[in-house]
Amino acid sequence: MDESDLDIKNIRKDFPILSQEVYGKPLIYLDNAATTQKPIQVIRKIDEVYSTINANIHRGVHHLSQLATEAHEEARKTVQRYIGAAHSREIIFTSGTTGSINLVASSFCRSQCKAGDEIILTAMEHHANIVPWQIQRDIMGVQLKVVPFTEKGEIRLEDIEELISSKTKLLSLTHVSNVLGTVNPVADIIRLAHNYNVPVLIDAAQSVQHEAINVQALDCDFMVFSSHKMYGPTGIGVLYGKETWLDKLPPYQGGGEMIAHVSFEKTTFNELPFKFEAGTPDYVGSTALGEAIRYIENLGLNNIRKREDRLLRYATEKLLQIPGMQIFGTSDKKAPVISFLVGGIHPYDMGMLLDRLGIAVRTGHHCAQPLMDALGIEGTIRASLAFYNTEEEIDALIAGIERVAKMF
Ligand code: PLP
């Protein structure tokens, strides 16, 4: 299948929510970086698991428990295939990107760091890739170093290299900025960090739904992402870690599932991946995430990328024709995320008025206040696109912005 074969009119019918009206206007959903809408196949899968195989997994000998366990472990293999991991035991199910980063920050710093050691982040990180490290800074005394970004919103390799020292223990950065849309050159960055024996965590929350990623080809040490941003259900996400790293890290949370044997004197821990999955896992979520991945694979990630690139170019060109338009993030390599301000109009006012026209955009700091500080602004309006968006919807956004601009 080729991108031009994507029958968007029909594909949109897979997403029941997209045919809704808001304030009597057709919904135009341009907040996909916050969360994507769900195809009926994913919604039905959740229904199917609860209706036909629901039972707690792993410990049950009975029929339903075995079916639910198989569905959960099959989903792990689907994730493994999707990101090209070497083993399914390198796929840990978590509550999401935030849960995954908290796990690594805690387990990594506790076991690999001492006071004065350094973790490198960038100035374009989401709070989820800042605050867990600050918590460890306060507990463990690790230091945080921050790579700046350029006027175009790009990370320069030389700026990373300058910050690496003999005390650097980890580099943790986003693949795609959820504000600027910049696609960071993570392959080059990982190669550079590895030259200094520094492992790298990639926050793929904004990339794994837009482009094919192979963790073995990238050679990243950890990668994290959320199901709900890739057409899957909320409440579940993934931590990929190289087996050698996951073996070295201590468990993050204690409880059922993650143990081999418990006595009051001593507990021994289960093998990977269960060591990091304390408590009843979200086997309904994992199974539905597997369905979301099959949905993406069916459309073809390359086709998705080509279509989203085209929509991004179309929207950027049209937006730039609006007087007073300022787009933040002008890298040549961007995911379909556009942050902007129009004249002196407050983002909140623009967002509220667009909403009355049925257009859902996000406004504010987008959980990236240090990035906003670096830009010297408080917030932006953000339109983030998915393959199911259309040129007509972008035209409606442009008309909406022009209408709001006239009111000010
Ligand atoms: N990292 C990035 C780059 C994000 O865009 C987001 C969410 O917007 C997160 C992390 C946090 O994801 P979640 O809230 O699903 O844990």
Side-chain angles (χ1 to χ4, degrees), residues 33-35 95-101 124-129 174-179 203-207 209 224-229 235-237 366-367 382:
T35 199
S95 59
T97 305
T98 303
S100 299
I101 298 177
M124 63 169 76
E125 299 310 314
H126 187 280
H127 294 165
N129 196 26
T174 195
H175 190 177
V176 168
S177 162
N178 67 314
V179 177
D203 174 352
Q206 297 292 350
S207 59
Q209 64 282 54
V224 298
F225 52 94
S226 298
S227 152
H228 71 96
K229 293 184 195 286
I236 184 151
H366 315 299
C367 292
R382 183 184 73 184

Side-chain angles (χ1 to χ4, degrees), residues 347-362:
Y348 186 74
D349 293 334
M350 178 65 83
M352 288 274 288
L353 291 164
L354 287 175
D355 178 53
R356 302 305 294 191
L357 302 172
I359 303 170
V361 292
R362 191 147 290 249

Side-chain angles (χ1 to χ4, degrees), residues 68-130:
T69 304
E70 272 166 29
H72 183 65
E73 292 308 322
E74 203 46 50
R76 200 188 301 279
K77 287 192 193 131
T78 304
V79 174
Q80 175 203 351
R81 190 192 63 234
Y82 186 68
I83 63 169
H87 309 287
S88 62
R89 56 185 177 274
E90 294 179 320
I91 307 299
I92 313 292
F93 286 120
T94 65
S95 59
T97 305
T98 303
S100 299
I101 298 177
N102 274 279
L103 189 165
V104 176
S106 168
S107 294
F108 187 92
C109 289
R110 262 191 301 141
S111 62
Q112 310 296 317
C113 299
K114 56 184 184 319
D117 283 345
E118 294 164 357
I119 306 289
I120 298 180
L121 310 172
T122 83
M124 63 169 76
E125 299 310 314
H126 187 280
H127 294 165
N129 196 26
I130 299 173

